[in-house]
Amino acid sequence: MSSAVSLIRSAALSSSAEYAYAATAPAGARLIFLAGACPLNLDGSTAGVGDVQAQAAKAMENLVIALAAAGAGLDDVLSTRVLVASARHSDLVDAWTIVRGAFGEHDAPSTLLGVTVLGYTDQLVEIEAVAAVLD
């Protein structure tokens, strides 16, 4: 199945961003709104305690599982929001590096935020996404 998502880039905007600035899906595409993917193990424990990169990787693993359950994959993602419970720029970059690497060539628009706290004990990373598919 081909992706319904079209990524949009503009030469009038900075080329230093490692993602498209916008994305569209055609009329008739089924939109999928995903809750924030958290770095949780099957037993509900937080994976990678104290390790932003490990938590980003586990959150991406869980995001892929949630997308698959909805009939989608990473290439169907329209946009993401990556939340990192840290005020340190290096922690945000560490999380972003993992997330960006997981998406490969599909550089969907994304927002990276440092936040004060996230919902689970010892949680440092959460990844929200919106996807679109043609059924």
Side-chain angles (χ1 to χ4, degrees), residues 44-62:
S45 63
T46 302
V49 173
D51 185 337
V52 169
Q53 290 182 324
Q55 288 199 10
K58 183 62 175 179
M60 282 303 301
E61 179 183 319
N62 289 340

Side-chain angles (χ1 to χ4, degrees), residues 3-45:
S3 178
V5 176
S6 295
L7 300 177
I8 300 167
R9 295 167 183 80
S10 173
L13 296 169
S14 173
S15 62
S16 67
E18 294 181 9
Y19 51 85
Y21 277 96
T24 63
R30 178 171 52 94
L31 296 179
I32 303 165
F33 298 88
L34 293 105
C38 300
L40 299 179
N41 297 311
L42 283 176
D43 65 3
S45 63

Side-chain angles (χ1 to χ4, degrees), residues 52 83-93 113-117 124:
V52 169
L83 309 170
V84 183
S86 178
R88 293 187 355 216
H89 184 263
S90 61
D91 287 341
L92 276 70
V93 170
L113 299 166
V115 299
T116 303
V117 65
L124 299 172

